Amino acid sequence: MAIYVSGRAAREPWRHEFTAHPKEIAQLRRMLRLRLILWGLRDHVDAAQICVSELATNVIQHVGEGTPATLRMELNGPHLRLEVEDPDPRALPTLLAASDVLESGRGMALVDAVTDHHWGVILRGEAKVVWCELMVDGSAAGRPTNDPCTTRATAILELYGSWPLQSGRGVAGGASVLGMAVAEEAAIEVMADLLHWLHAHGHDPDDVLDRAQTHFEAAIDGPL
């Protein structure tokens, strides 16, 4: 959940449950990219996407398609920590030389290279966590919440949820955790309904999401 403090997005730990399947990789990469942009870590998107793709693929290849897994991301001091947890503590990742594996099965070699050897495995009872860390700087870029895009979104959420987000409980006010949790759920409902509408009218929701993200990234990269 992104919490806005004084008009800037705080870097709160993020957790996402997913099913290990090749079709899920693109969605994981998209969600990770958006989260890192909100955190002001655009320069680390490519490396983080590589790591998450490899960690998720590792579950698919060595535990099995359809395995329930969890992706977690948080700041750990000067590092961005990425974790993927699955329910099989026996299938441990193996580090192979990049020259010894095919492009489709690079093991942890690419993660090892991208993270400068900052990765490992934690066994937790009947589960395991494969983690890696990327070095990031300590600064965070944010976006003022009084820009036209945010103002329009606030109006939509107020109309959709029938509660005032300007009253100190939501985005533009005191940004309490409860207020932002409610606002985030409303935003998810709005976007889900729009995707249903697009699908019902013969549009490709994934294509629309990609185009919307492109517009968002262009706007967030503009002058503050």
Side-chain angles (χ1 to χ4, degrees), residues 17-183:
E17 296 180 355
F18 67 98
T19 300
H21 192 280
K23 293 182 179 179
E24 289 290 319
I25 301 296
Q27 176 68 4
L28 285 176
R29 291 171 61 90
R30 180 187 292 119
M31 294 176 67
L32 183 72
R33 179 183 182 86
L34 178 58
R35 186 66 52 167
L36 288 174
I37 290 173
L38 289 173
W39 282 12
L41 297 175
R42 167 180 282 278
D43 291 344
H44 304 283
V45 166
D46 290 342
Q49 285 184 326
I50 288 173
C51 291
V52 167
S53 295
E54 294 301 319
L55 294 182
T57 299
N58 189 69
V59 177
I60 296 170
Q61 292 180 341
H62 301 292
V63 183
E65 288 189 17
T67 299
T70 301
L71 169 64
R72 282 186 291 269
M73 180 174 74
E74 65 178 351
L75 282 178
N76 183 26
H79 296 96
L80 175 70
R81 185 180 181 91
L82 301 165
E83 298 181 351
V84 170
E85 180 176 350
D86 69 69
D88 190 345
R90 299 166 299 174
L92 300 179
T94 302
L95 178 61
L96 300 175
S99 59
D100 294 336
V101 291
L102 298 175
E103 178 69 17
S104 60
R106 292 166 292 189
M108 295 296 292
L110 192 53
V111 173
D112 186 67
V114 170
T115 63
D116 194 23
H117 318 300
H118 283 240
W119 69 275
V121 182
I122 301 173
L123 299 181
R124 293 176 177 170
E126 296 301 315
K128 75 170 178 293
V129 175
V130 183
W131 62 270
C132 64
E133 292 184 337
L134 297 166
M135 179 69 74
V136 298
D137 58 40
S139 62
R143 181 77 175 171
T145 59
N146 59 351
D147 63 276
C149 293
T150 303
T151 300
R152 289 196 299 268
T154 298
I156 292 172
L157 292 177
E158 287 181 347
L159 178 64
Y160 207 83
S162 299
W163 71 87
L165 292 181
Q166 303 285 354
S167 65
R169 295 187 301 152
V171 177
S176 70
V177 174
L178 177 60
M180 277 308 305
V182 173

Side-chain angles (χ1 to χ4, degrees), residues 194-208 211:
L194 288 174
L195 293 177
H196 280 296
W197 184 91
L198 289 165
H199 182 265
H201 287 78
H203 299 281
D204 182 357
D206 286 334
D207 177 63
V208 174
R211 289 161 56 193

